[in-house]
Amino acid sequence: PQRVFSGVQPTGNLHLGNYLGAIKRFVELQDRFGCIYCVVDLHAITVWQDPAELRRSIREVAAAFLAAGVDGEKHIVFNQSQVSGHAELAWIFNCVARLGWLNRMTQFKEKAGKDRENASVGLYAYPNLMAADILLYRATHVPVGEDQKQHLELARDIAQKFNNDFAASIAANGLDEKFFPLPEPLIAGPATRVMSLRDGSKKMSKSEPSDASRINLTDDADQIASKIRKAKTDPLPLPETVEGLKDRPEADNLVGIYAALADSDAAAVLAQYGGAQFSAFKQALVDLTVDKLAPINAEMKRLVADPGHIDRVLGHGAERADAIAETTMAAVKDIVGLIRRA
Ligand code: TYM
């Protein structure tokens, strides 16, 4: 059976990159797959989080999922720490993954920065927890932005090594030799890597100090308009063809954003706006962005005003997730040779 899993960290400032690269795609996959969408709070605490702010942020990400159109009844929406299997399976994977594999992870190097000695052990082991998230549900497809590609490759390596290392035990337990499927990343469309509005060489990010670099899902129409109008561009008009976007990162980025919001592609956008000045294109982009984000923004506001409701949705999701997780964990314990409570 095919199953989608993905997660978003509750670390504040959900932005257009998170929406176009991930959340919007979560919604689109709901007709074709059974989907599990997770607010990954255990990932968030790999760097310091203020407890009250973390709670607020967990509810805000859940609200963003629902406001964007994720169906928490047909599919599963929950926060990671409510299902203990994530942390349990991550420990098993800490014992499967090799130091050399984790040493290659570029995101750890970026996030730990120069003071690596002072990074948390959790930040280093982060990719193992991410593999556990996915494989706890034996998910086959994982919609993410481009920046998660390396972590997905690691998850596949872990799945494969577990299946190999325990092949005899998997067979002895009468289980499928591919006990863990090798999860496939779904990284597609015109906005897999949305860039900063201030610098076309940097990705749009929650942690970038300049708020003008990103469009937050909580921004109102005026903020969106002002950020897009001030977005960095080059002096040329828009090119007529996709080839003309080469070496023009800011133009490429704005066209990609437009295409993703319009459910279109860069070629079609340029067929319409090729030759136009940025001022005209930016106005069209403001209108489109406000048109698409305003209803999500309004619904998020409505939802976060009732934290009790969000907590009930998350609790209901966690119960259903846990039922799947427990089955996997029971099999994993049998496979590894751990004795379960009778
Ligand atoms: P996170 O919380 O940083 O980002 C959530 C999702 O948004 C995507 N994304 C982007 N897409 C396009 N352009 C951007 N500028 C941009 N910035 C972020 C991310 O690729 C991601 O899909 N490790 C993950 C969370 C995670 C996870 C998982 C994902 C934990 N466990 C299991 C999938 C499966 C992360 O930090 O995403």
Side-chain angles (χ1 to χ4, degrees):
Q2 302 204 316
R3 180 179 278 150
V4 163
F5 181 94
S6 196
V8 175
Q9 292 197 64
T11 42
N13 296 326
L14 273 182
H15 54 70
L16 191 60
N18 300 130
Y19 177 63
L20 295 177
I23 301 171
K24 181 169 187 289
R25 311 212 46 238
F26 296 178
V27 177
E28 293 160 4
L29 290 164
Q30 295 183 116
D31 296 334
R32 289 198 285 134
F33 296 91
C35 302
I36 304 179
Y37 296 128
C38 185
V39 185
V40 289
D41 47 12
L42 295 176
H43 277 94
I45 60 169
T46 56
V47 297
W48 169 254
Q49 304 293 331
D50 173 76
E53 187 54 31
L54 178 61
R55 260 189 297 273
R56 194 197 62 76
S57 208
I58 292 168
R59 293 185 182 120
E60 185 172 274
V61 173
F65 287 177
L66 301 173
V70 169
D71 185 335
E73 285 297 324
K74 277 207 192 98
H75 301 275
I76 297 179
V77 173
F78 73 109
N79 62 304
Q80 188 181 28
S81 59
Q82 288 200 42
V83 177
S84 59
H86 291 261
E88 270 186 85
L89 187 57
W91 180 260
I92 307 266
F93 287 170
N94 283 343
C95 305
V96 172
R98 306 288 94 183
L99 279 178
W101 297 1
L102 288 176
N103 286 339
R104 285 196 282 278
M105 295 294 116
T106 55
Q107 189 157 306
F108 173 74
K109 291 178 198 166
E110 280 162 30
K111 287 204 178 171
K114 284 200 191 75
D115 193 11
R116 202 176 294 183
E117 293 287 303
N118 203 27
S120 75
V121 176
L123 188 66
Y124 183 73
Y126 179 115
N128 294 344
L129 178 58
M130 180 162 161
D133 298 338
I134 299 163
L135 296 172
L136 187 57
Y137 305 98
R138 299 207 257 170
T140 52
H141 294 80
V142 185
V144 281
E146 173 76 38
D147 61 342
Q148 297 301 315
K149 195 172 171 199
Q150 193 183 37
H151 289 158
L152 255 295
E153 279 158 15
L154 185 88
R156 294 168 62 92
D157 289 343
I158 290 175
Q160 188 146 39
K161 182 160 162 60
F162 183 96
N163 290 346
N164 282 339
D165 287 356
F166 294 103
S169 184
I170 289 170
N173 279 283
L175 295 159
D176 185 341
E177 61 178 347
K178 293 196 182 71
F179 176 72
F180 285 125
L182 306 192
E184 236 182 80
L186 298 176
I187 304 173
T192 58
R193 188 174 174 81
V194 175
M195 307 308 277
S196 157
L197 297 180
R198 308 300 303 161
D199 179 349
S201 68
K202 278 197 200 152
K203 80 174 178 194
M204 187 177 284
S205 127
K206 291 171 190 160
S207 55
E208 162 66 43
S210 162
D211 193 60
S213 70
R214 68 181 158 260
I215 292 171
N216 303 303
L217 293 190
T218 50
D219 284 347
D220 62 26
D222 289 342
Q223 287 168 307
I224 292 172
S226 136
K227 287 176 182 179
I228 291 178
R229 287 203 192 99
K230 285 192 205 126
K232 188 177 168 204
T233 51
D234 57 42
L236 303 173
L238 284 172
E240 307 277 348
T241 64
V242 175
E243 291 75 58
L245 291 171
K246 228 179 128 239
D247 301 321
R248 296 182 65 187
E250 289 85 12
D252 189 30
N253 190 38
L254 295 183
V255 168
I257 290 172
Y258 190 105
L261 284 169
D263 297 309
S264 175
D265 57 37
V269 174
L270 292 177
Q272 193 178 354
Y273 291 102
Q277 298 299 324
F278 269 109
S279 53
F281 178 64
K282 279 179 168 180
Q283 187 51 53
L285 183 58
V286 167
D287 294 343
L288 178 64
T289 309
V290 169
D291 190 51
K292 298 289 181 180
L293 294 191
I296 297 173
N297 181 307
E299 180 64 2
M300 274 175 74
K301 273 206 187 114
R302 196 184 69 80
L303 288 165
V304 295
D306 186 357
H309 172 72
I310 295 185
D311 291 0
R312 281 189 295 278
V313 171
L314 291 173
H316 174 64
E319 274 174 26
R320 292 156 65 214
D322 201 38
I324 305 170
E326 275 189 21
T327 311
T328 306
M329 278 319 293
V332 166
K333 286 177 181 172
D334 291 346
I335 291 167
V336 174
L338 305 169
I339 296 177
R340 290 190 275 131
R341 192 187 300 154

